[in-house]
Amino acid sequence: EVQLVESGGDLAQPGGSLRLSCAASGFTFNSYAMNWVRQAPGKGLEWVASVSGSGGTTYYAVSVKGRFTISRDNSKNTLFLQMNGLRVEDTASYYCTKGGAGWYTKHWGQGTLVTVSS
Amino acid sequence: DIQMTQSPSSLSASVGDRVTITCRASQGISNYLAWYQQKPGRVPNLLIYGASTVQSGVPSRFSGSGFGTDFTLTISSLQPEDVATYYCQKYNSAPFTFGPGTKVDIK
């Protein structure tokens, strides 16, 4: 059974940093692209970033490019999202997701809440 | 970047009704289109990928069609448990944009 467990969500000040982690199990981690998707309270889904199975290819939404960094440690089956320069508008639940046979999402974690406020 | 739109933004239908949701891409995306269902207070769930391939375990009343720029998600007979917001997502190339969502309620 695929399991994705996020951690690291917290209250941060504008301009601050957080590092999200996602522990993955139940599948061959390095064979699948992984993604971060966020959802602000009461709003729709927003794709944030993706990384290929090897970690060699990354993609970012314009809204986070230059501030967030997606990475993975295939030896530890863990996905990361380093979030710097946080803004109030980054407040959201952040979901770790596993790709399918393509860059869509086949499995979702339960999410971790990031709140950016002074 | 390619923009994704959905229509309607919300709808209310009766149990047993046929429901159709439309997703449109501002440029062609071949069949690289996925649909997700998010029930209130729950994590999203993959329904369809490749525009028309139904994910294993998804009820047969859900179907998808389309190619290029215009796509549809159809619920052949709406059930109470289908109350949810439905999102499309393009995944031909980054950015892997989601549509704004369509909220489905029971009349």
Side-chain angles (χ1 to χ4, degrees):
Chain A
E1 178 192 3
V2 172
Q3 289 201 330
L4 302 168
V5 180
E6 302 96 334
S7 61
D10 204 345
L11 172 65
Q13 292 197 336
S17 298
L18 283 175
R19 190 190 199 203
L20 305 183
S21 299
C22 171
S25 61
F27 63 102
T28 305
F29 185 66
N30 61 11
S31 293
Y32 292 91
M34 298 293 292
N35 316 286
W36 289 98
V37 175
R38 69 185 180 184
Q39 186 168 36
K43 301 297 185 182
L45 301 174
E46 181 185 10
W47 170 76
V48 173
S50 297
V51 61
S52 62
S54 68
T57 300
T58 57
Y59 300 108
Y60 296 93
V62 169
S63 58
V64 307
K65 194 168 188 177
R67 300 187 298 125
F68 291 9
T69 302
I70 188 172
S71 62
R72 62 193 298 161
D73 184 340
N74 285 346
S75 69
K76 296 182 178 179
N77 289 0
T78 304
L79 176 72
F80 302 101
L81 185 68
Q82 178 66 44
M83 310 166 67
N84 298 331
L86 284 164
R87 303 169 179 169
V88 171
E89 55 265 34
D90 295 321
T91 295
S93 290
Y94 284 72
Y95 295 102
C96 164
T97 80
K98 168 187 168 290
W103 292 97
Y104 60 92
T105 280
K106 190 171 181 180
H107 297 94
W108 299 71
Q110 290 302 304
T112 187
L113 180 61
V114 171
T115 303
V116 184
S117 175
S118 56
Chain B
D1 290 343
I2 296 173
Q3 306 303 313
M4 305 299 293
T5 58
Q6 287 183 235
S7 60
S9 57
S10 65
L11 67 89
S12 186
S14 299
V15 172
D17 281 355
R18 183 181 184 89
V19 169
T20 298
I21 299 168
T22 297
C23 176
R24 179 162 291 169
S26 60
Q27 298 176 39
I29 58 169
S30 183
N31 67 334
Y32 292 95
L33 193 283
W35 289 97
Y36 305 90
Q37 175 194 61
Q38 187 176 29
K39 296 182 179 182
R42 304 287 297 275
V43 173
N45 181 50
L46 175 67
L47 294 177
I48 288 168
Y49 60 95
S52 61
T53 302
V54 180
Q55 173 63 18
S56 175
V58 172
S60 59
R61 61 182 179 274
F62 290 92
S63 64
S65 65
F67 188 90
T69 60
D70 295 315
F71 303 87
T72 58
L73 173 69
T74 299
I75 308 173
S76 60
S77 177
L78 187 68
Q79 299 301 304
E81 60 267 33
D82 300 334
V83 169
T85 300
Y86 294 84
Y87 297 91
C88 62
Q89 182 193 25
K90 64 171 281 289
Y91 61 95
N92 61 314
S93 62
F96 306 122
T97 310
F98 287 91
T102 295
K103 188 174 182 180
V104 175
D105 285 328
I106 299 292
K107 191 181 296 181

